[in-house]
Amino acid sequence: AHAETLVTACQGPWTYIATAQAYDDEMRERIALHRSRRGEGWTTVDAPLDLAGALAAVPDGRPVLIDCLTLWLTNHMLAEHDFETECRRLADVLSRPRGPWFVVSNEVGQGIVPDNALARRFRDAAGRLNQQVAAVAGTVLLMVAGLPLKVK
């Protein structure tokens, strides 16, 4: 919700690039909730895998909200894609924004070490992806209890 507020402070129209896939009722409800928060002026682009391509297709100058990197990474990992190459490709596109771009991700490394290999692999990959994206971002915010903390 905070990212949506930041994006709508820019002049619209706005593009929402969604990475979620609705495999069950609970995720369909989450997606519906997100859509209900957005009013007129939003274009939604579903990009569960080709996030770099979706960004390339956005018109110059248009504000973009990407939600979210960790779901996008999950999609690639579960499909057994070369997610490391995709992460580098995405970071390269994000390093050359053609408008105000806002990226949502999750910090998953602050808890206990997961008990299985896939979860540990995901946690490590998400950490590396967040570092790559933060390195090319102009501003990085960490949300804690609904409050934005400026990291960069």
Side-chain angles (χ1 to χ4, degrees):
H2 185 72
E4 291 171 2
T5 300
L6 294 174
V7 174
T8 56
C10 302
Q11 184 173 353
W14 313 283
T15 297
Y16 187 100
I17 301 181
T19 63
Q21 298 182 84
Y23 288 123
D24 57 38
D25 289 340
E26 188 272 339
M27 185 55 87
R28 279 187 278 282
E29 288 177 19
R30 283 179 180 266
I31 291 169
L33 174 64
H34 278 238
R35 287 191 174 163
S36 72
R37 285 197 312 239
R38 299 189 301 270
E40 296 294 318
W42 286 94
T43 299
T44 300
V45 176
D46 291 312
L49 294 170
D50 190 12
L51 190 46
L55 280 167
V58 173
D60 286 356
R62 182 169 293 181
V64 173
L65 173 55
I66 300 166
D67 191 4
C68 82
L69 292 187
T70 45
L71 279 175
W72 173 80
L73 176 63
T74 298
N75 297 339
H76 279 287
M77 290 183 78
L78 293 178
E80 298 183 0
H81 293 162
D82 179 359
F83 64 86
E84 291 172 348
T85 297
E86 288 299 318
C87 289
R88 285 190 299 273
R89 181 175 166 235
L90 177 61
D92 181 58
V93 171
L94 289 171
S95 72
R96 293 173 278 124
R98 297 181 333 278
W101 290 357
F102 301 83
V103 181
V104 174
S105 190
N106 295 286
E107 173 55 60
V108 297
Q110 293 183 329
I112 62 171
V113 175
D115 69 346
N116 67 80
L118 177 59
R120 287 188 299 272
R121 187 172 169 222
F122 171 77
R123 183 199 59 181
D124 294 347
R128 285 189 298 274
L129 175 59
N130 285 340
Q131 289 175 41
Q132 288 173 319
V133 172
V136 299
T139 302
V140 176
L141 300 177
L142 176 66
M143 298 300 295
V144 177
L147 302 172
L149 303 176
K150 188 169 184 176
V151 177
K152 176 182 176 187

